[in-house]
Structures are given as structure tokens and as C-alpha cells.
Amino acid sequence: MKAIEEFRTRVPKALPQDQWWAAEQEKLEAKEREKQKTADKDMAEKKKKEIDDIAREWAKREYFRKCMAGDMPYSEDEYIKSVWDRALFEGDLKYRMLHGQATDERRELAEFKKKQEKKKQVMLERAKAAMADLLDEDDDDDEE
């Protein structure tokens, strides 16, 4: 019994090898964390590039479809620029579908359209305010 109690209470001395081993472990863990960060960054860049490619394809298909349907006043690049937000949304949705992630296309599209409508309203309000400021400045210049 006495030997068991002594074993439980006795603290082994720290040896220099223990400190060296802990330092080596920390170095290995730091390298592993750095590798993981690099891998995550590379994966994010790859995902963004793939989504952009899918978005560009979607925008080109939409442009072609609208050209075939009738009169298209924009060039392909102008049209792609005008629908780029929607194209990125479609690209992200398709990317997630291709990689087996859960998607609810109708709900997400409704939310996207709602956000775009809010964005459009804010931009309209800003444009109105800017126009009102310009008109006020013109009125002030005319009065002088």
C-alpha cells in the first residue's frame, strides 16, 4: 500500500529530453497548421475559380438565349457585367449541387431576388438623393 501511495504522489523529474521532445512536437504541430492553412487557402481559390467559370458559362448561355429570343442591345461583355451577381449566385448553386451539398434552389432564389430588390431600392434612393443635391446646387447657382 505504501508503495502505491508513493507512486501516486511522486512527481517524476523533468528531463532535458522531455523539453526537447515537447519543442519538436510544437514545431511539427506548427508545420501541420501552416500546411492546413495553405491547403484551405488553395481550396478556397480553386472553389472561387470554379464558381467564376460556372458563372461565366451561365451568363454566356443567358446572353445567347436572349439574343436568339429577340433584340439584344448589349454586347456580350456588357450583358455579363450587368447580370454578374445573378451569375455568381447560379454558379455557387451549381457548384454546391455538383459537390453533393444541400441546396434548396427555389428558396435560395427567392432570397437572392429579395436581396437584389433591396439593393436596387437603396441604389435608387442614393441616386435620387444625389440628383436632388445636384438640382439644389443648380438652383443656388441660378439665384446668385
Side-chain angles (χ1 to χ4, degrees), residues 123-138:
M123 290 173 62
L124 182 63
E125 292 298 320
R126 286 182 185 164
K128 284 181 181 178
M131 186 61 86
D133 289 344
L134 284 174
L135 291 175
D136 288 344
E137 287 177 13
D138 286 345

Side-chain angles (χ1 to χ4, degrees), residues 43 47 51 91-105 108:
M43 185 62 100
K47 177 182 176 182
I51 289 173
D92 181 57
L93 192 64
K94 182 65 115 176
Y95 177 85
R96 289 185 286 132
M97 285 176 155
L98 290 172
H99 288 80
Q101 298 173 358
T103 58
D104 184 359
E105 193 171 351
E108 290 180 33

Side-chain angles (χ1 to χ4, degrees), residues 29-41:
E29 289 171 2
K31 282 183 183 179
E32 195 61 38
R33 284 192 300 269
E34 192 63 35
K35 283 168 90 176
Q36 187 63 39
K37 283 182 187 177
T38 304
D40 289 346
K41 184 179 177 185

Side-chain angles (χ1 to χ4, degrees), residues 39-130:
D40 289 346
K41 184 179 177 185
D42 290 345
M43 185 62 100
E45 288 175 6
K46 182 180 173 187
K47 177 182 176 182
K48 184 181 181 326
K49 183 184 180 323
E50 193 171 340
I51 289 173
D52 285 351
D53 291 345
I54 293 169
R56 184 161 304 284
E57 289 174 18
W58 180 88
K60 285 181 178 183
R61 278 194 310 274
E62 284 296 303
Y63 175 77
F64 182 73
R65 187 176 63 80
K66 294 221 179 196
C67 281
M68 292 287 111
D71 194 29
M72 173 55 79
Y74 301 119
S75 70
E76 183 177 341
D77 290 334
E78 290 172 336
Y79 181 77
I80 289 172
K81 194 180 268 187
S82 72
V83 296
W84 188 245
D85 286 340
R86 173 73 187 265
L88 282 176
F89 167 78
E90 294 290 340
D92 181 57
L93 192 64
K94 182 65 115 176
Y95 177 85
R96 289 185 286 132
M97 285 176 155
L98 290 172
H99 288 80
Q101 298 173 358
T103 58
D104 184 359
E105 193 171 351
R106 288 184 181 163
R107 181 184 55 80
E108 290 180 33
L109 182 59
E111 288 174 5
F112 174 78
K113 286 184 177 181
K114 195 177 198 181
K115 283 182 191 176
Q116 290 299 313
E117 190 61 36
K118 286 180 183 178
K119 191 187 265 186
K120 193 184 290 187
Q121 289 296 327
V122 169
M123 290 173 62
L124 182 63
E125 292 298 320
R126 286 182 185 164
K128 284 181 181 178

Side-chain angles (χ1 to χ4, degrees), residues 16-34:
Q17 294 92 347
D18 294 339
Q19 292 173 350
W20 175 83
W21 182 252
E24 287 299 312
Q25 279 299 113
E26 183 58 37
K27 286 180 189 176
L28 287 173
E29 289 171 2
K31 282 183 183 179
E32 195 61 38
R33 284 192 300 269
E34 192 63 35

